[in-house]
Amino acid sequence: MRVLIVDDETEIREYLAGLPQWGQARCTVVGTAANGEEALSMIERTNPDVVLTDIRMPGMDGIELAEAIRSTRPHLPIIFLTAHHEFEYARQAVRLGASDFITKPFKPEDIIRAVEKQRDKEHDAWVERDAFFTVIGSEMITVEEKIEWMHSRGIKDGEFVLLYTELDHVYGLQHSRNPFALKQVRKALESVSKNEGIISWMSESSNGVYALLPCQEFLDTDNSKIIGFAKRLIDACETQESLSVSVGISRTMNSYFDLPEAIRQTGVCMDYRMLLGKKSMLAFDAIEMIVSEKEKESLMSVNKVAELLRTGEANGIRDAISDVYRRMLSVGASRKDIQHFCIGLIERSEDVLLEFGIEPNARASVEIRELMLSSLILTDMMKALERYLLDNSEEIRRLLSQSPKRIVAETIHLIDSEYMSELTLQMVAKRLNVNYSYLSRLIKKETGKNFTDILWECRIEAAKVKLLKEDLKAYEIAYAVGFKDSAHFSILFKKFTGCTPSEYKRLEGGKLQ
């Protein structure tokens, strides 16, 4: 937590800023100010996570400071230092949404505890918002069950826009991957949201971060504001975290229950990034207008070859390359068009290799690009491209010759033995030394289910046993088998068993007696 301290008494400011407990509590004092005017200036420069301020100060006092902060950063926590007799000030502070009060004289542990409480609230919000995406974004859970989940939390439905921020360097050589990149993207998102006074609900995917932006936060659905937000986000990732990202923007959705469709739309946006390049802002509504028919056809060809590569189907790749060759001749494609397509296809094929955990040959990767840029004859380019793709296909076919049933069996064994922990597809893939995308498709092909379906089923089965054998409440069992959210557990339990946990315990427990 980044803390800004505001007090007109020099001794108090210096005392608070110098507390040794800040380091132990993982907090940093980013600045001190003697009054409200100084504090407002410092907030812009230091971007604190919490403001600790005295109420009575000359010039702009703590109440006026809070009013000014609320007009630009309504969600920035403010903790007031107040004397026990300052009742009228305290009432005004309550009206302004004070996060906490500390009465003078105070102890250092009172200060630290109050700031840590704000971090705990923020952490709880993260968990709740991740659960929101898990439940509302699932196509496995019915609308009725989603309504019940939202109602239990007092979440009101509304219009929203979904932004998906994806790393431009998700794929690449192992040593170039930053394991903290997604956390840094999320941090940049939080910073931009906080600066604009917007509450954005976020959740991480394997390659990027989703941010649900309620339309009321933008006052209207003016696309220019959303585009501006996306641009500032791309800039923040580059300047603050040295990351290159692209942003996909869904249409304005009428209801939170449209979240699965919004996720699909941002996925389509990311498909078109290949055509527009890195640091792109891609609005789903605008794709039809900005992408030509030729480019759409080009993307379809690339996706078709990528799917053929995933199956290791050599003959299909040859036919696809021949088809591309004929169409390029028929439309009179320029050399630049052809080079653009071929380089895009090479990049996609290398992405597919990485999906299977296969590192592209660095020398071959450079040589094929040099050849595409230097060749003057289309047939030479197509022959070289075909050879490169067939070599990649052979690598994938060799991997596929290993038993997929064994990999899936090991996955299920891991789930059975560690279902109570925070298990993810990415973690399991890393343990098995395969790419998570490849593992996801393999599980679906062999079992007809998704990884999360299998994990949920395993947890529900374990919960059934605990309900009958252990004297625990439903929410205690939910946490014991790995669910972070007891309401989500109850919804899934009823979906899998046809009854609530308490009904199951009563019905099945009676049979055992």
PDB file of all heavy atoms in Angstrom, residues 331-354:
ATOM      1  N   VAL A 331      -6.361 -12.648 -57.564  1.00  0.00           N
ATOM      2  CA  VAL A 331      -6.696 -11.279 -57.155  1.00  0.00           C
ATOM      3  C   VAL A 331      -5.578 -10.291 -57.471  1.00  0.00           C
ATOM      4  O   VAL A 331      -5.717  -9.087 -57.233  1.00  0.00           O
ATOM      5  CB  VAL A 331      -7.007 -11.219 -55.638  1.00  0.00           C
ATOM      6  CG1 VAL A 331      -8.194 -12.108 -55.300  1.00  0.00           C
ATOM      7  CG2 VAL A 331      -5.793 -11.583 -54.798  1.00  0.00           C
ATOM      8  N   GLY A 332      -4.481 -10.804 -58.020  1.00  0.00           N
ATOM      9  CA  GLY A 332      -3.359  -9.916 -58.347  1.00  0.00           C
ATOM     10  C   GLY A 332      -2.748  -9.275 -57.125  1.00  0.00           C
ATOM     11  O   GLY A 332      -2.475  -8.057 -57.106  1.00  0.00           O
ATOM     12  N   ALA A 333      -2.526 -10.074 -56.066  1.00  0.00           N
ATOM     13  CA  ALA A 333      -1.975  -9.547 -54.812  1.00  0.00           C
ATOM     14  C   ALA A 333      -0.599  -8.938 -55.049  1.00  0.00           C
ATOM     15  O   ALA A 333       0.209  -9.451 -55.829  1.00  0.00           O
ATOM     16  CB  ALA A 333      -1.885 -10.666 -53.774  1.00  0.00           C
ATOM     17  N   SER A 334      -0.331  -7.832 -54.362  1.00  0.00           N
ATOM     18  CA  SER A 334       0.965  -7.183 -54.490  1.00  0.00           C
ATOM     19  C   SER A 334       2.021  -7.955 -53.704  1.00  0.00           C
ATOM     20  O   SER A 334       1.705  -8.794 -52.852  1.00  0.00           O
ATOM     21  CB  SER A 334       0.890  -5.751 -53.954  1.00  0.00           C
ATOM     22  OG  SER A 334       0.701  -5.772 -52.545  1.00  0.00           O
ATOM     23  N   ARG A 335       3.278  -7.647 -53.979  1.00  0.00           N
ATOM     24  CA  ARG A 335       4.361  -8.310 -53.251  1.00  0.00           C
ATOM     25  C   ARG A 335       4.249  -8.026 -51.755  1.00  0.00           C
ATOM     26  O   ARG A 335       4.459  -8.923 -50.924  1.00  0.00           O
ATOM     27  CB  ARG A 335       5.703  -7.811 -53.788  1.00  0.00           C
ATOM     28  CG  ARG A 335       6.903  -8.505 -53.147  1.00  0.00           C
ATOM     29  CD  ARG A 335       8.196  -7.895 -53.617  1.00  0.00           C
ATOM     30  NE  ARG A 335       9.338  -8.522 -52.946  1.00  0.00           N
ATOM     31  CZ  ARG A 335      10.558  -8.018 -52.930  1.00  0.00           C
ATOM     32  NH1 ARG A 335      10.800  -6.865 -53.545  1.00  0.00           N
ATOM     33  NH2 ARG A 335      11.538  -8.640 -52.313  1.00  0.00           N
ATOM     34  N   LYS A 336       3.885  -6.797 -51.419  1.00  0.00           N
ATOM     35  CA  LYS A 336       3.746  -6.435 -50.007  1.00  0.00           C
ATOM     36  C   LYS A 336       2.620  -7.233 -49.350  1.00  0.00           C
ATOM     37  O   LYS A 336       2.762  -7.708 -48.218  1.00  0.00           O
ATOM     38  CB  LYS A 336       3.456  -4.933 -49.882  1.00  0.00           C
ATOM     39  CG  LYS A 336       3.397  -4.443 -48.445  1.00  0.00           C
ATOM     40  CD  LYS A 336       3.176  -2.940 -48.401  1.00  0.00           C
ATOM     41  CE  LYS A 336       3.113  -2.458 -46.951  1.00  0.00           C
ATOM     42  NZ  LYS A 336       2.863  -0.996 -46.867  1.00  0.00           N
ATOM     43  N   ASP A 337       1.508  -7.401 -50.063  1.00  0.00           N
ATOM     44  CA  ASP A 337       0.395  -8.204 -49.541  1.00  0.00           C
ATOM     45  C   ASP A 337       0.843  -9.633 -49.265  1.00  0.00           C
ATOM     46  O   ASP A 337       0.519 -10.222 -48.231  1.00  0.00           O
ATOM     47  CB  ASP A 337      -0.772  -8.224 -50.529  1.00  0.00           C
ATOM     48  CG  ASP A 337      -1.504  -6.894 -50.603  1.00  0.00           C
ATOM     49  OD1 ASP A 337      -1.415  -6.130 -49.623  1.00  0.00           O
ATOM     50  OD2 ASP A 337      -2.153  -6.636 -51.629  1.00  0.00           O
ATOM     51  N   ILE A 338       1.585 -10.195 -50.226  1.00  0.00           N
ATOM     52  CA  ILE A 338       2.030 -11.587 -50.102  1.00  0.00           C
ATOM     53  C   ILE A 338       2.991 -11.741 -48.928  1.00  0.00           C
ATOM     54  O   ILE A 338       2.889 -12.673 -48.133  1.00  0.00           O
ATOM     55  CB  ILE A 338       2.690 -12.052 -51.414  1.00  0.00           C
ATOM     56  CG1 ILE A 338       1.656 -12.047 -52.548  1.00  0.00           C
ATOM     57  CG2 ILE A 338       3.297 -13.442 -51.255  1.00  0.00           C
ATOM     58  CD1 ILE A 338       2.267 -12.224 -53.929  1.00  0.00           C
ATOM     59  N   GLN A 339       3.942 -10.805 -48.822  1.00  0.00           N
ATOM     60  CA  GLN A 339       4.898 -10.866 -47.711  1.00  0.00           C
ATOM     61  C   GLN A 339       4.181 -10.743 -46.368  1.00  0.00           C
ATOM     62  O   GLN A 339       4.487 -11.464 -45.417  1.00  0.00           O
ATOM     63  CB  GLN A 339       5.937  -9.754 -47.862  1.00  0.00           C
ATOM     64  CG  GLN A 339       6.931  -9.978 -48.988  1.00  0.00           C
ATOM     65  CD  GLN A 339       7.844  -8.781 -49.199  1.00  0.00           C
ATOM     66  OE1 GLN A 339       7.469  -7.640 -48.879  1.00  0.00           O
ATOM     67  NE2 GLN A 339       9.022  -9.019 -49.736  1.00  0.00           N
ATOM     68  N   HIS A 340       3.228  -9.834 -46.313  1.00  0.00           N
ATOM     69  CA  HIS A 340       2.459  -9.619 -45.081  1.00  0.00           C
ATOM     70  C   HIS A 340       1.750 -10.911 -44.676  1.00  0.00           C
ATOM     71  O   HIS A 340       1.777 -11.322 -43.505  1.00  0.00           O
ATOM     72  CB  HIS A 340       1.435  -8.510 -45.307  1.00  0.00           C
ATOM     73  CG  HIS A 340       0.585  -8.206 -44.113  1.00  0.00           C
ATOM     74  ND1 HIS A 340       1.058  -7.554 -43.008  1.00  0.00           N
ATOM     75  CD2 HIS A 340      -0.732  -8.472 -43.859  1.00  0.00           C
ATOM     76  CE1 HIS A 340       0.084  -7.423 -42.116  1.00  0.00           C
ATOM     77  NE2 HIS A 340      -1.002  -7.977 -42.611  1.00  0.00           N
ATOM     78  N   PHE A 341       1.133 -11.568 -45.648  1.00  0.00           N
ATOM     79  CA  PHE A 341       0.421 -12.814 -45.359  1.00  0.00           C
ATOM     80  C   PHE A 341       1.389 -13.907 -44.908  1.00  0.00           C
ATOM     81  O   PHE A 341       1.139 -14.610 -43.915  1.00  0.00           O
ATOM     82  CB  PHE A 341      -0.347 -13.283 -46.602  1.00  0.00           C
ATOM     83  CG  PHE A 341      -0.919 -14.662 -46.453  1.00  0.00           C
ATOM     84  CD1 PHE A 341      -2.086 -14.871 -45.741  1.00  0.00           C
ATOM     85  CD2 PHE A 341      -0.266 -15.761 -47.011  1.00  0.00           C
ATOM     86  CE1 PHE A 341      -2.599 -16.148 -45.585  1.00  0.00           C
ATOM     87  CE2 PHE A 341      -0.776 -17.037 -46.852  1.00  0.00           C
ATOM     88  CZ  PHE A 341      -1.950 -17.231 -46.144  1.00  0.00           C
ATOM     89  N   CYS A 342       2.488 -14.075 -45.627  1.00  0.00           N
ATOM     90  CA  CYS A 342       3.432 -15.160 -45.319  1.00  0.00           C
ATOM     91  C   CYS A 342       4.072 -14.988 -43.945  1.00  0.00           C
ATOM     92  O   CYS A 342       4.195 -15.955 -43.184  1.00  0.00           O
ATOM     93  CB  CYS A 342       4.523 -15.229 -46.394  1.00  0.00           C
ATOM     94  SG  CYS A 342       3.905 -15.794 -48.006  1.00  0.00           S
ATOM     95  N   ILE A 343       4.472 -13.759 -43.605  1.00  0.00           N
ATOM     96  CA  ILE A 343       5.053 -13.518 -42.285  1.00  0.00           C
ATOM     97  C   ILE A 343       4.021 -13.787 -41.194  1.00  0.00           C
ATOM     98  O   ILE A 343       4.325 -14.376 -40.154  1.00  0.00           O
ATOM     99  CB  ILE A 343       5.585 -12.073 -42.178  1.00  0.00           C
ATOM    100  CG1 ILE A 343       6.740 -11.834 -43.171  1.00  0.00           C
ATOM    101  CG2 ILE A 343       6.036 -11.775 -40.749  1.00  0.00           C
ATOM    102  CD1 ILE A 343       7.976 -12.651 -42.896  1.00  0.00           C
ATOM    103  N   GLY A 344       2.774 -13.378 -41.448  1.00  0.00           N
ATOM    104  CA  GLY A 344       1.713 -13.641 -40.476  1.00  0.00           C
ATOM    105  C   GLY A 344       1.498 -15.122 -40.267  1.00  0.00           C
ATOM    106  O   GLY A 344       1.292 -15.585 -39.140  1.00  0.00           O
ATOM    107  N   LEU A 345       1.557 -15.887 -41.353  1.00  0.00           N
ATOM    108  CA  LEU A 345       1.373 -17.333 -41.260  1.00  0.00           C
ATOM    109  C   LEU A 345       2.542 -17.995 -40.519  1.00  0.00           C
ATOM    110  O   LEU A 345       2.359 -18.928 -39.721  1.00  0.00           O
ATOM    111  CB  LEU A 345       1.228 -17.923 -42.669  1.00  0.00           C
ATOM    112  CG  LEU A 345       0.858 -19.399 -42.782  1.00  0.00           C
ATOM    113  CD1 LEU A 345      -0.316 -19.745 -41.884  1.00  0.00           C
ATOM    114  CD2 LEU A 345       0.540 -19.743 -44.227  1.00  0.00           C
ATOM    115  N   ILE A 346       3.743 -17.498 -40.748  1.00  0.00           N
ATOM    116  CA  ILE A 346       4.924 -18.021 -40.035  1.00  0.00           C
ATOM    117  C   ILE A 346       4.781 -17.767 -38.533  1.00  0.00           C
ATOM    118  O   ILE A 346       5.027 -18.650 -37.707  1.00  0.00           O
ATOM    119  CB  ILE A 346       6.212 -17.361 -40.582  1.00  0.00           C
ATOM    120  CG1 ILE A 346       6.495 -17.877 -41.998  1.00  0.00           C
ATOM    121  CG2 ILE A 346       7.400 -17.648 -39.663  1.00  0.00           C
ATOM    122  CD1 ILE A 346       7.515 -17.052 -42.746  1.00  0.00           C
ATOM    123  N   GLU A 347       4.366 -16.543 -38.177  1.00  0.00           N
ATOM    124  CA  GLU A 347       4.203 -16.215 -36.753  1.00  0.00           C
ATOM    125  C   GLU A 347       3.141 -17.090 -36.109  1.00  0.00           C
ATOM    126  O   GLU A 347       3.320 -17.583 -34.987  1.00  0.00           O
ATOM    127  CB  GLU A 347       3.839 -14.737 -36.598  1.00  0.00           C
ATOM    128  CG  GLU A 347       4.992 -13.799 -36.933  1.00  0.00           C
ATOM    129  CD  GLU A 347       4.605 -12.332 -36.811  1.00  0.00           C
ATOM    130  OE1 GLU A 347       3.398 -12.056 -36.647  1.00  0.00           O
ATOM    131  OE2 GLU A 347       5.503 -11.476 -36.889  1.00  0.00           O
ATOM    132  N   ARG A 348       2.023 -17.303 -36.819  1.00  0.00           N
ATOM    133  CA  ARG A 348       0.965 -18.140 -36.254  1.00  0.00           C
ATOM    134  C   ARG A 348       1.431 -19.586 -36.099  1.00  0.00           C
ATOM    135  O   ARG A 348       1.114 -20.249 -35.111  1.00  0.00           O
ATOM    136  CB  ARG A 348      -0.287 -18.072 -37.136  1.00  0.00           C
ATOM    137  CG  ARG A 348      -1.459 -18.906 -36.613  1.00  0.00           C
ATOM    138  CD  ARG A 348      -1.923 -18.457 -35.232  1.00  0.00           C
ATOM    139  NE  ARG A 348      -2.480 -17.124 -35.266  1.00  0.00           N
ATOM    140  CZ  ARG A 348      -3.765 -16.864 -35.528  1.00  0.00           C
ATOM    141  NH1 ARG A 348      -4.605 -17.846 -35.738  1.00  0.00           N
ATOM    142  NH2 ARG A 348      -4.206 -15.627 -35.553  1.00  0.00           N
ATOM    143  N   SER A 349       2.197 -20.086 -37.067  1.00  0.00           N
ATOM    144  CA  SER A 349       2.674 -21.475 -36.959  1.00  0.00           C
ATOM    145  C   SER A 349       3.607 -21.637 -35.757  1.00  0.00           C
ATOM    146  O   SER A 349       3.586 -22.667 -35.071  1.00  0.00           O
ATOM    147  CB  SER A 349       3.393 -21.889 -38.249  1.00  0.00           C
ATOM    148  OG  SER A 349       4.658 -21.270 -38.361  1.00  0.00           O
ATOM    149  N   GLU A 350       4.410 -20.608 -35.481  1.00  0.00           N
ATOM    150  CA  GLU A 350       5.306 -20.674 -34.322  1.00  0.00           C
ATOM    151  C   GLU A 350       4.518 -20.577 -33.015  1.00  0.00           C
ATOM    152  O   GLU A 350       4.876 -21.199 -32.011  1.00  0.00           O
ATOM    153  CB  GLU A 350       6.359 -19.567 -34.424  1.00  0.00           C
ATOM    154  CG  GLU A 350       7.350 -19.836 -35.558  1.00  0.00           C
ATOM    155  CD  GLU A 350       8.267 -18.662 -35.856  1.00  0.00           C
ATOM    156  OE1 GLU A 350       8.059 -17.576 -35.258  1.00  0.00           O
ATOM    157  OE2 GLU A 350       9.191 -18.823 -36.674  1.00  0.00           O
ATOM    158  N   ASP A 351       3.420 -19.805 -33.040  1.00  0.00           N
ATOM    159  CA  ASP A 351       2.538 -19.777 -31.883  1.00  0.00           C
ATOM    160  C   ASP A 351       1.971 -21.167 -31.604  1.00  0.00           C
ATOM    161  O   ASP A 351       1.867 -21.597 -30.448  1.00  0.00           O
ATOM    162  CB  ASP A 351       1.377 -18.800 -32.113  1.00  0.00           C
ATOM    163  CG  ASP A 351       1.812 -17.345 -32.060  1.00  0.00           C
ATOM    164  OD1 ASP A 351       2.957 -17.092 -31.651  1.00  0.00           O
ATOM    165  OD2 ASP A 351       1.000 -16.474 -32.426  1.00  0.00           O
ATOM    166  N   VAL A 352       1.598 -21.884 -32.677  1.00  0.00           N
ATOM    167  CA  VAL A 352       1.040 -23.226 -32.515  1.00  0.00           C
ATOM    168  C   VAL A 352       2.094 -24.163 -31.926  1.00  0.00           C
ATOM    169  O   VAL A 352       1.797 -24.986 -31.046  1.00  0.00           O
ATOM    170  CB  VAL A 352       0.509 -23.767 -33.860  1.00  0.00           C
ATOM    171  CG1 VAL A 352       0.092 -25.225 -33.729  1.00  0.00           C
ATOM    172  CG2 VAL A 352      -0.671 -22.927 -34.346  1.00  0.00           C
ATOM    173  N   LEU A 353       3.331 -24.065 -32.403  1.00  0.00           N
ATOM    174  CA  LEU A 353       4.405 -24.883 -31.822  1.00  0.00           C
ATOM    175  C   LEU A 353       4.507 -24.654 -30.315  1.00  0.00           C
ATOM    176  O   LEU A 353       4.604 -25.598 -29.529  1.00  0.00           O
ATOM    177  CB  LEU A 353       5.748 -24.543 -32.476  1.00  0.00           C
ATOM    178  CG  LEU A 353       6.020 -25.076 -33.880  1.00  0.00           C
ATOM    179  CD1 LEU A 353       7.375 -24.572 -34.375  1.00  0.00           C
ATOM    180  CD2 LEU A 353       5.996 -26.596 -33.920  1.00  0.00           C
ATOM    181  N   LEU A 354       4.459 -23.378 -29.925  1.00  0.00           N
ATOM    182  CA  LEU A 354       4.581 -23.048 -28.504  1.00  0.00           C
ATOM    183  C   LEU A 354       3.381 -23.541 -27.701  1.00  0.00           C
ATOM    184  O   LEU A 354       3.498 -23.844 -26.513  1.00  0.00           O
ATOM    185  CB  LEU A 354       4.753 -21.540 -28.335  1.00  0.00           C
ATOM    186  CG  LEU A 354       6.136 -21.022 -28.757  1.00  0.00           C
ATOM    187  CD1 LEU A 354       6.098 -19.524 -28.977  1.00  0.00           C
ATOM    188  CD2 LEU A 354       7.181 -21.390 -27.724  1.00  0.00           C
TER     189      LEU A 354
END
